[in-house]
Amino acid sequence: MPIKHIDLAGRASDYPEALSHYSDEPPLYRVVLWPHRSLSRQGFVWFIAVTCGFLALPVLALVGTAALWGLLPFLVLTIWAMWFFLMRSYRDGYLVEELSLWPDHLELIRTSPKDGRKEWGANPYWVEIATHDKPVENYLTLRGGPREVELGAFLSADERLELKEELEMKLRFLATETH
């Protein structure tokens, strides 16, 4: 599952890879989100190797003929295109969202290879959590002040709903604890 809860003894740890640091106190709640990867690096290598093998089988019958030279550029282009687009998918998969909650601050940090690092913060007392049916089912947003940000758009609909319920529970707990 592309969700990592970081929780030790009721308080989230300040693990070394943390993106957010609001105060000297560790956050009450911290969760790290990333896109699901269905193909591992080893699986990628096997996929390319097996594809090359299957594409080479019909070409073996053409070795020594002029038809080989007509077919070879298309086979090489096919392998290159698969390699290129799978590698692009891997680069896009380096997206990470980290949500951290302190008693007086909620912070979302989104790091992606395309857009770099984006930060959003708000007072947790004023944060609204909403789900929408568009652009995807159970699209999750956080609103605090004038700005609304998406959260976990790359997660499945069920994972977004689970995350929403968990975050609402943490915010309710925080609201009752401070009063």
Side-chain angles (χ1 to χ4, degrees), residues 3 5 29 31-33 97 99 129 140 151-152 155 157-170:
I3 298 175
H5 294 89
Y29 174 74
V31 64
V32 180
L33 313 169
E97 291 181 358
L99 180 71
I129 306 168
L140 188 60
L151 178 63
L155 299 174
D158 293 337
E159 289 170 334
R160 284 190 296 272
L161 200 54
E162 180 183 323
L163 180 62
K164 177 187 183 227
E165 291 169 359
E166 186 176 312
L167 188 54
E168 284 175 337
M169 182 187 70
K170 295 291 183 183

Side-chain angles (χ1 to χ4, degrees), residues 47-165:
F47 175 75
I48 293 294
V50 169
T51 302
C52 287
F54 280 131
L55 287 175
L57 285 176
V59 173
L60 289 177
L62 300 174
V63 171
T65 65
L68 173 69
W69 298 108
L71 194 56
L72 199 57
F74 295 104
L75 297 176
V76 170
L77 182 64
T78 301
I79 296 296
W80 176 84
M82 280 192 296
W83 181 280
F84 176 79
F85 288 113
L86 284 172
M87 291 307 287
R88 182 174 174 195
S89 173
Y90 270 110
R91 273 192 310 275
D92 292 345
Y94 287 122
L95 170 71
V96 175
E97 291 181 358
E98 182 179 300
L99 180 71
S100 301
L101 175 65
W102 288 269
D104 60 342
H105 187 70
L106 181 121
E107 185 173 59
L108 175 65
I109 298 178
R110 179 184 173 104
T111 307
S112 76
K114 290 181 184 176
D115 301 327
R117 181 181 168 121
K118 293 184 178 180
E119 298 181 21
W120 176 82
N123 185 328
Y125 184 77
W126 299 107
V127 171
E128 294 177 42
I129 306 168
T131 53
H132 311 278
D133 291 330
K134 292 182 181 176
V136 292
E137 182 184 354
N138 293 333
Y139 185 69
L140 188 60
T141 60
L142 300 175
R143 181 180 304 166
R147 196 166 152 216
E148 187 171 17
V149 294
E150 70 178 14
L151 178 63
F154 44 80
L155 299 174
S156 71
D158 293 337
E159 289 170 334
R160 284 190 296 272
L161 200 54
E162 180 183 323
L163 180 62
K164 177 187 183 227
E165 291 169 359

